[in-house]
């Protein structure tokens, strides 16, 4: 009888532990699923809504340089927190100024360093960017990059990258987050 009571205690204890692990697993699964919408830098949940943009592939992005009209190219990805913060700004500005942003999803490009090199060669505007990168040993270090946006993009793949194209050439752009007023002034300058 004592042995049966001991075995029953072990079974109840194991059942209790399994229940805790299953509950914790469901909690973290729910947490991760809700974060797929994107968590911004300030911790609020935002959706990555690019539905009001025109999706382009690499060839479509390069073809924007054949246009004589102003084109706004946004290179981003849904798993980038800065991109998640940038998309609502781009959507607001394009609605206010009545144009459409062209969106190249970096996650849809299998070997972006190779496939995007011809596009990056068209991104000739020089920029100066101070940021943190990982060196060859995997350690973070602060660097100032002073080169064309295309060269910086191909070397580091920074997103979001915004390219303003007019009369078939890149005339302006930026890498990283910019607030609503900055983006609006930038686009208005070329409209």
């Amino acid at each position: 009888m004592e042995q049966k009571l001991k075995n029953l205690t072990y079974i109840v204890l194991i059942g209790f532990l399994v229940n805790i692990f299953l509950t914790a697993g469901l909690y973290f699964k729910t947490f991760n699923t809700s974060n797929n919408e994107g968590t911004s830098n300030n911790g609020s949940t935002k959706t990555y809504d690019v539905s009001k943009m025109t999706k382009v592939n690499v060839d479509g992005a390069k073809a924007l340089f054949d246009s004589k009209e102003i084109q706004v190219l946004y290179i981003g990805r849904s798993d980038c927190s800065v991109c998640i913060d940038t998309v609502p700004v781009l959507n607001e500005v394009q609605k206010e100024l009545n144009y459409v942003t062209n969106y190249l999803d970096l996650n849809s490009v299998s070997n972006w360093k190779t496939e995007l090199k011809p596009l990056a060669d068209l991104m000739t505007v020089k920029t100066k960017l101070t940021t943190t990168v990982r060196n060859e040993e995997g350690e973070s270090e602060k660097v100032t990059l002073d080169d064309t946006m295309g060269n910086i993009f191909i070397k580091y793949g920074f997103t979001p990258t915004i390219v303003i194209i007019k009369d078939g050439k890149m005339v302006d752009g930026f890498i990283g987050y910019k607030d609503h007023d900055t983006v609006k002034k930038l686009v208005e300058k070329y409209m």
Side-chain angles (χ1 to χ4, degrees):
M1 179 72 170
E2 190 175 308
Q3 184 61 30
K4 285 184 180 181
L5 190 56
K6 201 180 214 183
N7 288 345
L8 185 60
T9 303
Y10 285 130
I11 290 171
V12 169
L13 184 60
I14 290 171
F16 181 72
L17 290 173
V18 166
N19 191 18
I20 288 174
F21 286 119
L22 288 174
T23 303
L26 286 173
Y27 170 79
F28 286 111
K29 180 178 179 358
T30 302
F31 178 77
N32 286 337
T33 301
S34 68
N35 275 352
N36 283 340
E37 289 184 343
T39 303
S40 70
N41 290 334
N42 64 13
S44 66
T45 300
K46 296 181 181 179
T47 58
Y48 189 76
D49 182 13
V50 293
S51 64
K52 293 173 180 56
M53 299 179 185
T54 299
K55 276 188 106 169
V56 294
N57 59 19
V58 177
D59 289 334
K62 288 189 296 188
L64 297 173
F65 286 86
D66 295 333
S67 174
K68 296 297 178 195
E69 297 175 11
I70 184 171
Q71 300 290 335
V72 178
L73 172 62
Y74 159 56
I75 304 171
R77 51 196 173 86
S78 60
D79 56 351
C80 159
S81 64
V82 182
C83 297
I84 293 166
D85 288 339
T86 299
V87 166
V89 172
L90 294 174
N91 283 335
E92 285 176 34
V93 172
Q94 79 174 2
K95 183 178 179 184
E96 289 173 22
L97 299 180
N98 196 29
Y99 70 92
V100 177
T101 301
N102 298 281
Y103 168 53
L104 175 59
D105 181 2
L106 194 59
N107 287 334
S108 71
V109 181
S110 57
N111 185 350
W112 61 268
K113 282 196 174 197
T114 303
E115 291 180 50
L116 292 181
K117 178 71 171 115
L119 176 63
D121 289 343
L122 298 170
M123 296 164 48
T124 57
V125 170
K126 288 193 62 116
T127 191
K128 194 170 196 170
L129 177 68
T130 301
T131 188
T132 303
V133 297
R134 296 208 180 272
N135 60 23
E136 291 177 3
E137 292 80 36
E139 301 163 347
S140 295
E141 62 181 338
K142 196 166 202 132
V143 296
T144 298
L145 307 170
D146 189 4
D147 203 345
T148 66
M149 282 185 55
N151 287 341
I152 291 172
F153 179 79
I154 282 299
K155 185 165 184 180
Y156 298 101
F158 292 139
T159 54
T161 296
I162 310 300
V163 179
I164 309 295
I165 304 161
K166 185 172 183 179
D167 295 326
K169 62 182 178 184
M170 179 182 182
V171 291
D172 216 327
F174 60 89
I175 296 172
Y177 177 81
K178 301 289 184 214
D179 65 30
H180 174 273
D181 292 340
T182 303
V183 174
K184 186 173 180 179
K185 285 178 188 173
L186 177 72
V187 176
E188 277 181 321
K189 186 163 83 171
Y190 298 102
M191 293 194 96

